[in-house]
Amino acid sequence: MRVCSLELFDFRNYAHAELGFDGGLTAILGDNGQGKTNLLEAIGVSGGIGSVVGVPHACLVRQGADLAVVRCQVRTDNERDILIESEISGSGRNRFRLNKQNLSRRRDLLGVLTLTVFAPTDLMLVKGSPVERRRWIDNALSTIEPKFGLHCSEIERILRQRNALLKQIAKKVDTHAFATLDVWDNKLAKVGGIIRAGRRKLLQKISPKLNTDYRHMAGRKAVVCARYESSWDEETLLDALVEARETDVRRRYSTVGPHRDDIELLVDGMPARTHASQGEQRSLAIALRLAVDAEIRECRRLRTVVLLDDVFSELDVIRANALLEILPPGQHILTSTTAMLPDGAKPDQIVDIQSGTLSIRS
């Protein structure tokens, strides 16, 4: 799978831009603030993951415009051409089309253009809050099996309804409301159990690859563990919800479930968040991305498109070259300043950016 071309209208700092991509390594070079990351964001939108830096869609519309348009031409591993079109509204509803056919939601693009993204913000996978790690593993599972994404959407809907009901009960005890709460508890228990099982299974499967890639990045032998921390014990989630009901009503939100779980990352038995150096934390974050990429490739039988957003500015020379050595085969698109491009990077194509103007070096 590879991105063949990208066309933008009123996207970020681009009034209009077109760019064709080589199938190997493309290096997008320029000073800070010129629009390098914006190109990767457009690819992220086309892949259904949204902005690679996590901003709302409305922020992707060029200042003064009402609508941004992204057209991305993709070629699959079996040489099938796909056109992905995205219309991003500054205030209204976004629209997505696949080969001129309308899609009902952005999530339907997941798996059409399969991406693995490396960015400086990946450090938050190790140092950040549990929500960062839950998002990472749920996005991975949704890419491997799109049906899992439906479970994630369903659990969000169930939690909204259940939390609204808890607030209602806290204000006024209502027998009928408690009966309705039983219904939502059953729904939450069913979907929540599926989500926890899927997360645990994926962590177990990627463990060997995670250790191998961490050792390569860190340059030393170490044992890495990604341990799932559940908000309920080995009892059923339904039993845990019944036990937590009094607390939930008092606090007016659901205190147990997959939305309260975490993944504890350990290096040689110690929490990486507090005991690993920043270089070790970056090595671990990269290893997490690589391990999931390998699992996606194996399960989906395809090559992902790898995006690297200014990651070399955050790595020393040894780690930068170590990453280049273990990148999976296929198309790689990276952004960097010229000064930060490692000597080990041998681009097949170099794109220079200055003030939103693109030029391909001959």
Side-chain angles (χ1 to χ4, degrees):
M1 175 173 293
R2 70 183 183 93
V3 175
C4 297
S5 65
L6 195 64
E7 186 173 17
L8 311 177
F9 295 91
D10 291 328
F11 186 90
R12 284 291 203 177
N13 66 324
Y14 296 99
H16 178 243
E18 293 183 75
L19 182 62
F21 291 91
D22 190 277
L25 172 61
T26 295
I28 302 171
L29 306 180
D31 294 334
N32 293 329
Q34 302 303 304
K36 302 187 300 295
T37 298
N38 299 348
L39 295 174
L40 300 193
E41 285 188 295
I43 296 173
V45 168
S46 302
I49 63 174
S51 165
V52 296
V53 296
V55 302
H57 267 170
C59 297
L60 303 177
V61 181
R62 189 170 67 95
Q63 188 173 5
D66 297 321
L67 187 74
V69 176
V70 178
R71 295 195 180 104
C72 185
Q73 191 78 39
V74 176
R75 182 162 295 166
T76 66
D77 290 344
N78 60 4
E79 298 300 313
R80 185 165 64 95
D81 289 327
I82 296 174
L83 176 63
I84 302 169
E85 297 174 286
S86 307
E87 294 182 358
I88 311 301
S89 173
S91 57
R93 182 184 177 187
N94 301 323
R95 300 179 185 277
F96 305 94
R97 287 190 294 274
L98 181 62
N99 289 334
K100 302 297 183 180
Q101 300 297 313
N102 291 329
L103 301 177
S104 58
R105 56 196 171 186
R106 184 190 73 181
R107 189 179 289 275
D108 293 336
L109 288 173
L110 288 173
V112 177
L113 169 58
T114 307
L115 305 170
T116 293
V117 182
F118 297 85
T121 53
D122 286 347
L123 191 62
M124 298 306 293
L125 288 176
V126 182
K127 296 180 65 174
S129 68
V131 68
E132 302 286 347
R133 292 177 284 278
R134 290 196 298 266
R135 185 184 298 116
W136 162 74
I137 197 167
D138 288 345
N139 284 344
L141 285 162
S142 298
T143 302
I144 293 169
E145 175 50 67
K147 186 177 180 180
F148 190 89
L150 298 178
H151 294 317
C152 293
S153 297
E154 178 68 4
I155 205 78
E156 290 174 2
R157 185 185 70 86
I158 291 169
L159 286 168
R160 284 196 301 270
Q161 296 290 340
R162 188 176 189 271
N163 289 343
L165 191 58
L166 289 171
K167 292 174 183 177
Q168 176 185 331
I169 293 172
K171 292 178 182 178
K172 181 181 179 180
V173 177
D174 184 337
T175 304
H176 176 71
F178 275 107
T180 306
L181 188 58
D182 289 336
V183 174
W184 289 114
D185 283 0
N186 278 281
K187 291 178 181 289
L188 179 57
K190 180 180 178 180
V191 182
I194 293 172
I195 289 176
R196 183 174 76 168
R199 290 171 175 173
R200 282 178 163 174
K201 183 178 179 181
L202 180 59
L203 290 178
Q204 183 179 22
K205 291 184 73 175
I206 69 173
S207 179
K209 174 71 170 169
L210 178 62
N211 273 274
T212 299
D213 288 340
Y214 177 80
R215 290 166 187 167
H216 186 89
M217 287 295 303
R220 68 179 184 88
K221 292 183 178 180
V223 177
V224 175
C225 177
R227 185 169 63 195
Y228 195 78
E229 298 288 333
S230 182
S231 57
W232 74 98
D233 297 326
E234 293 310 310
E235 61 184 336
T236 67
L237 178 52
L238 184 59
D239 289 338
L241 289 168
V242 171
E243 292 177 11
R245 178 168 290 190
E246 183 178 338
T247 300
D248 287 359
V249 171
R250 185 175 68 253
R251 297 186 179 180
R252 303 186 182 194
Y253 65 86
S254 304
T255 60
V256 294
H259 62 294
R260 303 286 293 176
D261 294 353
D262 193 8
I263 299 166
E264 186 175 21
L265 301 171
L266 305 170
V267 177
D268 288 336
M270 303 299 290
R273 184 175 63 86
T274 54
H275 288 71
S277 69
Q278 184 149 301
E280 290 172 327
Q281 290 173 343
R282 291 198 182 280
S283 296
L284 180 53
I286 288 171
L288 289 167
R289 293 291 190 196
L290 288 168
V292 164
D293 180 272
E295 186 65 21
I296 291 170
R297 287 169 181 252
E298 180 179 344
C299 293
R300 297 283 308 280
R301 297 291 189 266
L302 54 73
R303 288 188 173 190
T304 62
V305 175
V306 176
L307 308 180
L308 302 105
D309 183 29
D310 200 29
V311 295
F312 298 113
S313 66
E314 304 293 332
L315 299 174
D316 58 37
V317 174
I318 294 175
R319 286 188 170 90
N321 286 311
L323 173 57
L324 288 169
E325 290 170 358
I326 57 176
L327 281 176
Q331 185 182 42
H332 309 107
I333 303 172
L334 67 85
T335 66
S336 179
T337 63
T338 303
M340 293 296 179
L341 190 64
D343 292 337
K346 306 298 181 185
D348 299 285
Q349 177 185 33
I350 295 178
V351 179
D352 291 305
I353 297 184
Q354 186 172 6
S355 300
T357 300
L358 310 178
S359 59
I360 297 177
R361 289 190 198 177
S362 57

